[in-house]
Amino acid sequence: MALWTDGKVVRTLLLDKYFVDYLWYRTCEINSYSVCVIPAAENIENELSRASLDPNAQRFMSDNDVRDNSTLNLDRFIKVLHNEYTQACISKDDLHWIDEKNTRLIFYIWRTLSHLTLDHISNKMFDFDLKCEFLQTMQPNNSKKIVRMNDITNVKISTFLIVCCINRLRVSKAIKLQILDNIKETASYSLKNQEITRWLNKDENQKISWTFDYLLNIKLRYIPLVLPGSMGVRDDIISFFDVTRTFNEDSSKLITLTMKKSWSQRKYRDKNKDKKQYSINMSQDIGDILDELSQVENKNKNAIIEELIREAYAKRCSI
């Protein structure tokens, strides 16, 4: 658990970033810290040493194993929580099916965790346990908020964050693995749909910015998981449609259809912002004539009419 290097004791368990996240989170829970920000690597041991002297931490260690007569210090504190971690937590190997480069899948999982709710039930291992359930809408008291990982930051969404979030949940390892299995199963279906990704590929920069604002303004319960303008906005938008498709496919199709129409209208308005609409009565056969001219010239009807008017004006009215 500890080794000497350069005259200092190094607690090797603190080199495992997955365990350190769990260790500090549980420390904040045990000592009732209002803020839960993991100290920098060079400060974590000192902060844990101070935390282990807190009366709450001392009581936690004493109550954990009344037969243990060892000193209530940092080593014992780490030992107790590492035993808890070993029994209740998943590892990065349990996410071997996730490719870190597959950002679409990672964002899908991260957003799905915002739809995971937990209810208190009694449990012998912990003071309480949680019953998990996935709901259609993003929940205010979702799993990420419960474990204090709901804030939007510039931290890259990754498998590391996913593992840490799930491990912080006060549920058994079996339930955590079940959560992953459920997400894996739904992802295999929802991520096959390429409609949104193909649509975004054309005019991508314009569409991403516009879609982000569109989803917020029409109040579709789209809650961004990344900062506006960040590199992850595209994947975040796609994850909204993917997760919506998981819980309500008809709703996802309707949102997509409406959004595409709104984009086409916007492009049409931009294209014709310097033009004025006219209403003119003409003979009934003009419509058929315009259709034929349009096919022959491979031009739209507006362009043909405008061209004919300008040609007539140039011949008869210009000096």
Side-chain angles (χ1 to χ4, degrees), residues 36 74 256 265:
C36 187
L74 176 57
T256 303
Q265 291 169 358

Side-chain angles (χ1 to χ4, degrees), residues 12-241:
T12 55
L13 290 176
L14 299 183
L15 301 178
D16 181 350
K17 65 179 183 178
Y18 292 89
F19 172 60
V20 167
D21 180 88
Y22 182 82
L23 173 61
W24 186 254
Y25 173 72
R26 289 288 288 124
T27 299
C28 294
E29 274 194 328
I30 292 164
N31 289 347
S32 300
Y33 293 164
S34 59
V35 178
C36 187
V37 179
I38 301 175
E42 61 270 19
N43 300 325
I44 185 68
E45 190 167 333
N46 289 334
E47 293 298 328
L48 284 168
S49 294
R50 279 193 285 270
S52 66
L53 299 176
D54 187 285
N56 289 315
Q58 297 277 301
R59 191 180 311 110
F60 169 76
M61 286 184 276
S62 297
D63 294 344
N64 182 266
D65 187 352
V66 294
R67 296 169 297 179
D68 189 344
N69 295 320
S70 62
T71 306
L72 300 177
N73 58 14
L74 176 57
D75 284 323
R76 181 168 171 181
F77 189 61
I78 294 175
K79 177 184 176 182
V80 171
L81 285 174
H82 190 261
N83 288 338
E84 186 179 287
Y85 174 81
T86 302
Q87 293 179 52
C89 292
I90 62 173
S91 70
K92 62 180 180 180
D93 293 335
D94 293 311
L95 278 75
H96 64 87
W97 49 277
I98 301 175
D99 181 355
E100 194 72 46
K101 295 180 181 179
N102 189 349
T103 54
R104 182 179 179 184
L105 175 58
I106 290 173
F107 271 75
Y108 175 86
I109 297 170
W110 193 242
R111 180 170 289 278
T112 301
L113 290 173
S114 299
H115 291 252
L116 178 64
T117 61
L118 304 102
D119 294 324
H120 293 266
I121 57 176
S122 60
N123 183 282
K124 293 180 180 179
M125 180 176 178
F126 300 124
D127 295 332
F128 63 90
D129 203 341
L130 297 163
K131 180 181 68 175
C132 304
E133 183 179 7
F134 289 104
L135 298 179
Q136 285 191 16
T137 57
M138 189 178 288
Q139 300 299 304
N141 197 32
N142 62 69
S143 60
K144 287 177 2 190
K145 186 172 183 178
I146 289 173
V147 300
R148 304 189 188 189
M149 296 184 74
N150 204 43
D151 293 336
I152 299 176
T153 68
N154 59 358
V155 176
K156 180 183 176 182
I157 296 174
S158 62
T159 53
F160 172 69
L161 283 186
I162 293 168
V163 171
C164 291
C165 179
I166 294 175
N167 276 341
R168 290 183 180 192
L169 298 173
R170 301 296 301 281
V171 296
S172 67
K173 184 175 181 177
I175 292 180
K176 290 171 183 175
L177 291 172
Q178 183 181 348
I179 290 171
L180 280 177
D181 285 342
N182 289 344
I183 294 176
K184 181 180 179 181
E185 183 179 349
T186 57
S188 66
Y189 171 74
S190 293
L191 271 61
K192 288 179 181 178
N193 189 294
Q194 300 297 323
E195 184 176 5
I196 291 297
T197 55
R198 285 197 296 263
W199 181 75
L200 285 173
N201 285 339
K202 185 178 179 181
D203 301 323
E204 181 173 306
N205 291 335
Q206 293 181 51
K207 282 181 178 175
I208 289 174
S209 177
W210 178 86
T211 304
F212 184 86
D213 293 335
Y214 172 82
L215 293 175
L216 286 177
N217 291 334
I218 61 173
K219 305 189 185 328
L220 281 173
R221 296 180 178 174
Y222 167 64
I223 300 176
L225 304 182
V226 297
L227 296 172
S230 68
M231 292 294 292
V233 171
R234 183 182 190 276
D235 288 309
D236 188 52
I237 289 170
I238 294 171
S239 75
F240 169 75
F241 287 95

Side-chain angles (χ1 to χ4, degrees), residues 281-295:
N281 294 325
M282 292 186 173
S283 302
Q284 291 184 1
D285 62 337
I286 291 298
D288 295 332
I289 294 172
L290 276 174
D291 286 337
E292 188 172 345
L293 282 172
S294 179
Q295 291 180 1

Side-chain angles (χ1 to χ4, degrees), residues 115 135-137 189-190 221 240-256:
H115 291 252
L135 298 179
Q136 285 191 16
T137 57
Y189 171 74
S190 293
R221 296 180 178 174
F240 169 75
F241 287 95
D242 287 339
V243 173
T244 302
R245 186 169 187 254
T246 295
F247 294 109
N248 191 331
E249 188 165 1
D250 289 338
S251 176
S252 177
K253 289 179 179 178
L254 180 60
I255 294 170
T256 303

